[in-house]
Amino acid sequence: MNLFEIYSARLHAALSALAERGALPAGLNLARVVVEPTKDPAHGDLATNAAMVLAKDAGTIPRALATLLVEELSRDPEITKAEIAGPGFINLTLQPAVFTAVLKTAIEAGLDYGRGAPKPEPRVNVEYVSANPTGPMHVGHGRGAVFGDALASLLAFAGHDVTREYYINDAGAQVDVLARSAFLRYREALGEDIGPIPEGLYPGDYLVSVGKALAEQHGDALRNKAEWDWLPLVRQAAIDGMMAMIRDDLAALGVVHDLFFSERSLQGRDGNSNAVHQTIEDLRSRDLVYEGRLPPPKGQKDEDWEDREQTLFRATKFGDDVDRPLLKSDGSYTYFANDIAYHRSKFMRGFPEMIDVWGADHGGYVKRMQAAVKAVTGGQGSLDVKLCQLVRLLRNGEQVRMSKRSGDFVTLREVIDEVGRDAVRFMMIFRKNDATLDFDLGKVVEQSKDNPVFYVQYAHARCASIFRQAREVYPDLDLSPAALAGADLSILVDEAEVGIIKTIAAYPRIIEGAAAAHEPHRVAFFVHELASAFHSLWNKGKDSPQLRFVNQTDRKSTLARLAFVHAVRSVLASGLAVAGVAAPEEMR
């Protein structure tokens, strides 16, 4: 039950009625008309900009159109007041019974309250993490992992058909460096003194286990072989070892992907057809690839630029700043060429809507990739790139920098092991993805209202404790959702109670809006707001006995307030589930 959707439909009906009577022209474009909460509850429950955005096309002024709409909307028996504000905005006040009905719906629906109707098309592909398989993940990877996973959960809850994907970068020069680093650890496992790790190789001790596994499997058979002979075998073993570690770390964070897609598979290796070549030839057949020279970049470095005749993609035709190289001077593919083929494969696998979650350092790559998606999909596919800004890791205000495991940075797994999955997940989306995040290892484990994850989980635990108390006081009371929905909810008239009910009424709109904008932080903000309001009501009950949730002498009010608490608990649990955070029955 999306209250805003319902009243948006009624507003459209009022506009249609005015058009039928000749008071408005028919066929007005209503795309910019919104129904939303009023900024100040004192001004009513809902507000609309209809008169403001339609007046020009209707050939009138906003207040004149607003006057017509107010008169029409006032006929609705559920609207107690419709009034014009400012130059032509309209505020609506609803009957209390409207919110009682919303609360009843939330009680009956439980964890499904706010869930969107199934939307089988378009299928959505969310690609996130995709960390190079060259070592353990850092907290920056963790932010992208949580954001992508929460976004996928949000989209699924909103009704979309979502696939969660990880792109394994296993075809570049970095995996050859990884193989040489692992081979050094293999020699170490055979008893050699390898000394300091040479510059240019990966120094962390995470490759020690890969070296030992190679030694156990091959003995010293690889030691005296030429690099060209041992490199493919060691490279694959190292990639497999790193991906197993990454998968394990993601599982500790509660992140599970539906598909792991190999970059190597695009290049005709391991028995696959060469999708990169096919993609370039497809673009060439449509005159979107040509041979030419690029001018040097102005005022910035571009690692792809070479002063030579080269194979170029007409990226400027699709909104990019310059055309882009697809082949290096040695004839190998650029990273961009591989990425075009990868996104073409997504589209060919049935995903017209693509969302990529990248680190902020890839911001300059967005425009060219969006141009490529337009080209390879014939304009039928879309790519939204969400950039996750840096995470500053602190401990009680002081920056934390080093790690024995990685050699030069604190790993994601170390953070998870120290503070727990829930703290990491909630805090990673309790700030918009494009803003830098300070993650304080000391603050996120505090049991105080200053720790958002604790504050929200504590609200849910308090809800559960109220039901435990009710069962002690009224052991025979039917607390099933059906019985709770049948309670007399009209007695919930305190300002704080009504405020929370109106917050609950906004939840479906929050889900819909957050999903449309690809912004899961909105859900985290919402549950924190709801938790704060509930804690305030709890404290208010200490001084006002009539507001206490369990009244030993009044079963009727107890049942009504338990119904109210059930709705609060369900919405908190639902929002926490979208974030991938547990909803505890008690705090320990």
Side-chain angles (χ1 to χ4, degrees), residues 2 4 34-37 505-514 522:
N2 187 331
F4 300 88
V34 297
V35 175
E36 58 190 355
Y507 185 57
R509 178 178 179 271
I510 291 292
I511 291 294
E512 183 179 21
R522 296 191 191 185

Side-chain angles (χ1 to χ4, degrees), residues 213-230:
L214 286 166
E216 289 173 5
Q217 184 176 357
H218 300 282
D220 64 355
L222 304 178
R223 192 203 305 252
N224 297 317
K225 287 188 175 183
E227 181 178 292
W228 62 265
D229 201 3
W230 59 255

Side-chain angles (χ1 to χ4, degrees), residues 354-392:
M354 309 169 216
I355 303 170
D356 288 3
V357 180
W358 297 351
D361 55 334
H362 290 83
Y365 203 67
V366 174
K367 189 181 285 188
R368 74 185 72 174
M369 202 65 249
Q370 289 176 331
V373 167
K374 289 178 188 175
V376 297
T377 68
Q380 297 178 54
S382 66
L383 172 65
D384 183 20
V385 178
K386 310 302 288 188
L387 299 174
C388 289
Q389 276 291 347
L390 299 176
V391 179
R392 287 201 320 148

Side-chain angles (χ1 to χ4, degrees), residues 356-585:
D356 288 3
V357 180
W358 297 351
D361 55 334
H362 290 83
Y365 203 67
V366 174
K367 189 181 285 188
R368 74 185 72 174
M369 202 65 249
Q370 289 176 331
V373 167
K374 289 178 188 175
V376 297
T377 68
Q380 297 178 54
S382 66
L383 172 65
D384 183 20
V385 178
K386 310 302 288 188
L387 299 174
C388 289
Q389 276 291 347
L390 299 176
V391 179
R392 287 201 320 148
L393 195 61
L394 310 171
R395 188 185 302 281
N396 299 319
E398 297 293 326
Q399 193 158 357
V400 180
R401 297 182 182 277
M402 298 298 291
S403 164
K404 292 181 180 179
R405 185 185 181 199
S406 68
D408 61 355
F409 60 84
V410 177
T411 67
L412 173 62
R413 186 56 177 268
E414 287 169 326
V415 174
I416 298 169
D417 289 346
E418 179 171 340
V419 303
R421 172 194 300 182
D422 289 344
V424 174
R425 289 197 64 121
F426 194 85
M427 295 308 298
M428 288 295 181
I429 61 166
F430 196 61
R431 193 167 178 82
K432 197 162 185 263
N433 59 286
D434 59 5
T436 300
L437 172 68
D438 284 350
F439 188 97
D440 195 307
L441 295 163
K443 296 292 184 184
V444 299
V445 294
E446 285 183 359
Q447 293 195 345
S448 75
K449 67 177 182 179
D450 296 326
N451 177 6
V453 63
F454 170 81
Y455 205 48
V456 176
Q457 288 184 315
Y458 187 35
H460 186 274
R462 273 184 159 173
C463 290
S465 74
I466 291 166
F467 272 80
R468 288 194 295 271
Q469 180 191 0
R471 290 188 181 96
E472 292 176 2
V473 175
Y474 295 110
D476 62 333
L477 193 60
D478 183 357
L479 298 179
S480 66
L484 294 172
D488 181 4
L489 304 176
S490 65
I491 69 173
L492 303 171
V493 296
D494 182 80
E495 182 182 4
E497 293 171 330
V498 172
I500 290 175
I501 294 170
K502 290 181 179 181
T503 299
I504 290 171
Y507 185 57
R509 178 178 179 271
I510 291 292
I511 291 294
E512 183 179 21
H518 302 162
E519 294 185 343
H521 72 272
R522 296 191 191 185
V523 180
F525 289 0
F526 175 85
V527 292
H528 186 262
E529 176 188 346
L530 178 58
S532 298
F534 183 73
H535 286 305
S536 296
L537 178 59
W538 174 288
N539 293 329
K540 191 174 182 180
K542 293 177 182 178
D543 300 322
S544 303
Q546 74 277 11
L547 293 180
R548 290 174 187 169
F549 302 110
V550 179
N551 188 323
Q552 297 186 15
T553 62
D554 190 341
R555 290 171 69 98
K556 180 180 177 181
S557 70
T558 295
L559 189 64
R561 289 196 165 83
L562 289 175
F564 168 86
V565 172
H566 174 78
V568 172
R569 178 169 66 172
S570 296
V571 173
L572 287 172
S574 172
L576 286 170
V578 167
V581 176
E585 295 292 299

Side-chain angles (χ1 to χ4, degrees), residues 184-251:
L184 198 64
R185 295 298 189 177
Y186 159 73
R187 288 167 43 202
E188 181 182 46
L190 292 175
E192 282 190 38
D193 181 4
I194 60 172
I197 303 298
E199 188 174 346
L201 297 184
Y202 295 109
D205 63 7
Y206 51 86
L207 284 171
V208 170
S209 60
V210 176
K212 288 180 179 178
L214 286 166
E216 289 173 5
Q217 184 176 357
H218 300 282
D220 64 355
L222 304 178
R223 192 203 305 252
N224 297 317
K225 287 188 175 183
E227 181 178 292
W228 62 265
D229 201 3
W230 59 255
L231 186 67
L233 185 151
V234 175
R235 179 176 57 214
Q236 193 57 53
I239 290 171
D240 290 346
M242 293 302 95
M243 286 308 302
M245 178 181 65
I246 288 170
R247 280 187 172 96
D248 187 55
D249 289 351
L250 289 173

Side-chain angles (χ1 to χ4, degrees), residues 66-254:
T67 300
L68 291 173
L69 272 173
V70 163
E71 183 179 348
E72 191 67 29
L73 290 167
S74 296
R75 303 176 195 273
D76 190 323
E78 292 184 346
I79 297 176
T80 60
K81 187 194 301 182
E83 55 187 357
I84 304 170
F89 293 100
I90 299 171
N91 293 332
L92 304 176
T93 302
L94 306 182
Q95 291 279 6
V98 172
F99 293 101
T100 301
V102 172
L103 183 60
K104 182 178 180 180
T105 299
I107 294 163
E108 292 172 333
L111 294 177
D112 284 328
Y113 177 66
R115 185 182 295 278
K119 304 173 184 65
E121 299 293 340
R123 297 173 65 210
V124 184
N125 182 292
V126 184
E127 181 218 325
Y128 54 105
V129 189
S130 299
N132 286 337
T134 54
M137 292 185 295
H138 53 65
V139 289
H141 293 131
R143 187 175 192 184
V146 171
F147 176 88
D149 199 56
L151 175 56
S153 294
L154 169 63
L155 290 168
F157 189 70
H160 296 277
D161 182 357
V162 182
T163 291
R164 306 161 190 249
E165 188 157 315
Y166 186 118
Y167 183 48
I168 306 174
N169 300 111
D170 55 0
Q174 77 277 359
V175 290
D176 287 343
V177 175
L178 176 73
R180 296 184 184 102
S181 306
F183 190 74
L184 198 64
R185 295 298 189 177
Y186 159 73
R187 288 167 43 202
E188 181 182 46
L190 292 175
E192 282 190 38
D193 181 4
I194 60 172
I197 303 298
E199 188 174 346
L201 297 184
Y202 295 109
D205 63 7
Y206 51 86
L207 284 171
V208 170
S209 60
V210 176
K212 288 180 179 178
L214 286 166
E216 289 173 5
Q217 184 176 357
H218 300 282
D220 64 355
L222 304 178
R223 192 203 305 252
N224 297 317
K225 287 188 175 183
E227 181 178 292
W228 62 265
D229 201 3
W230 59 255
L231 186 67
L233 185 151
V234 175
R235 179 176 57 214
Q236 193 57 53
I239 290 171
D240 290 346
M242 293 302 95
M243 286 308 302
M245 178 181 65
I246 288 170
R247 280 187 172 96
D248 187 55
D249 289 351
L250 289 173
L253 192 56

